[in-house]
Amino acid sequence: MSRDGSVVAVRHRIGDSWIDGPMAAEDRNPARPSDLVAVVPGADAALARSASAAARAARPGWARTPALARGEVLFRAAALLFERAEKIGAELTREEGKTLAEGVGEVRRAASILRYFAGQTSEPIGEVYASVTLGTRVSTLRQPIGVVAVITPWNFPIAIPAWKIAPALAYGNTVVFKPASATPLTAMRLVEALLDAGLPPGVLNLILASGDVVEDAWLGSGGVDALSFTGSEGVGRRLQARALAGHLRVQLELGGKNAVVVAEDADVERAADLIARGAFSSAGQKCTATSRVIAIGASIDPLRSSLAQRVARLLPGDPLAPTTTLGPVIDEAARDRIDGMVQRALDAGARIVERREVPGDGAFAPAVLLDGVDSSMPIARLEVFGPVLAMMPASDLDEAIRIHDSVEYGLSAAIFTSDLAAADTFAHAARAGIIHINGETAGAEPHLPFGGMKASSSWSREQGRSAVEFYTQTKTIYVEGLPGAGLFESDDAP
């Protein structure tokens, strides 16, 4: 097994069977390309259609399963993930490249997400209303929408699938799941935990395939009823158009170009600590990663110095080593793309304040702190998805907000200030779905809504109580001919 360094044969899961196939791809460690983590079978449209057919067949039985019984499955799966966190986390690190502490932490986060949505199965599934007509009572009932297609990225290969699959299952839907091709092993471990917890056959199906295979099989043939996607904007918008043409419900999370504003009255050392963590943890490969720092007035010089010190202190290397704080990016192509974006910024007049080189032959991108960046540069407007942080000056809070809002994304933002009025102004004015006051842009808690504005999302929200809006549909039920005056009938009523 990959947990001890050997190679795992990853498999599809359809209905009640694990399905092998001829090897189609190799899953390699981005820190050491010679390290083969897993071999991955291929899949064609017919196999993808069989997965959605299995989910369709399992749907009535799972929808009829009492909600609390569905919750018990999720509770047991959460316990299994907590129990297996060290082993799965080490595999995740080997497969994706984030540090071991981050890998183990992500598995535990996925377990917490399962546990949260297990608890949601005991929440109300409808409401009762008074009617204007005597003898009539009206109620609403939330019911599952059916078969949900879940398509997820590689950067959080167990947490993001968990925050889509857990609510889908909790609310009575069945799922077809296509993970990113770069992280199939971690996806299989999540499916294994749910099956080991007692999830019935066909309720969750795993297909390891290219995006075009599942797009044709699921969105083009009525194979699913809804799509939840996290990934690049271009792919997401294409899937959205196709899904909407088929009258499917769609939820997208498409990335960010997140900024931190630092006011002149901010605690610069605290700000530098949290900005560096937000920018360079997971090698900057988070949709909520800090990508821009907008420094107001005189804050820029001390902030620049403090951030440079933190970049210099990063410890690059093998992500499985406990001392490593900067691992590789996902592959060599990503490394080359990031290097190219930095070079184009330098050619346009940006300057390197600090650059932490990374030794080795893996997909390591240097951590870079840039200065002299303005809003017209691509490095200030496009998602880098790597360990690159750009500093930009602003004369006052109004200009800082204008710079913040000048990009097409609007996922997460932060401000560091001791002025409550300034913090409140930024929180209300900045066009972002998540605002942090004196905190880093990265991070999300499972009981709170997650999502962005503008090009960052489809305007829907994930996680927390918001999840029920996407994964259920509301039915209104009128009961007529009841005796008495309606909802509050009583002979003793005043």
Side-chain angles (χ1 to χ4, degrees), residues 265 417-426 437:
D265 62 0
T417 181
S418 59
D419 184 341
L420 179 60
D424 189 65
T425 296
F426 181 79
I437 309 299

Side-chain angles (χ1 to χ4, degrees), residues 6 12 33 49 136 158 165 188 193 204 213 224 235 246 251 261 296 320 339 363 368 376 406 425 455 457 482 491:
S6 59
H12 310 284
R49 282 193 293 270
T136 297
I158 195 166
I165 292 170
M188 188 176 76
L204 174 60
V213 166
V224 303
V235 173
Q251 178 184 72
V261 171
I296 297 177
L320 286 167
D339 288 345
V368 178
S376 67
S406 66
T425 296
S457 78
L482 295 175
D491 292 339

Side-chain angles (χ1 to χ4, degrees), residues 346-397:
L346 298 178
D347 293 342
R351 302 179 299 275
I352 290 180
V353 178
E354 189 66 47
R355 180 185 179 103
R356 188 69 167 100
E357 295 288 351
V358 184
D361 61 352
F364 289 94
V368 178
L369 176 63
L370 292 173
D371 197 3
V373 175
D374 66 54
S375 295
S376 67
M377 295 180 181
I379 200 79
R381 307 186 67 82
L382 304 179
E383 190 172 34
V384 178
F385 227 63
V388 179
L389 182 61
M391 297 194 68
M392 308 169 70
S395 59
D396 55 26
L397 181 59

Side-chain angles (χ1 to χ4, degrees), residues 55-56 114 128 130 155 159 162 174 233 273 298 332 344 404 433 489:
R56 185 72 65 192
L114 293 181
V128 177
N155 62 320
T174 56
E233 184 184 0
D273 282 339
E332 289 84 354
R344 285 190 291 277
H404 172 273
E489 60 196 60

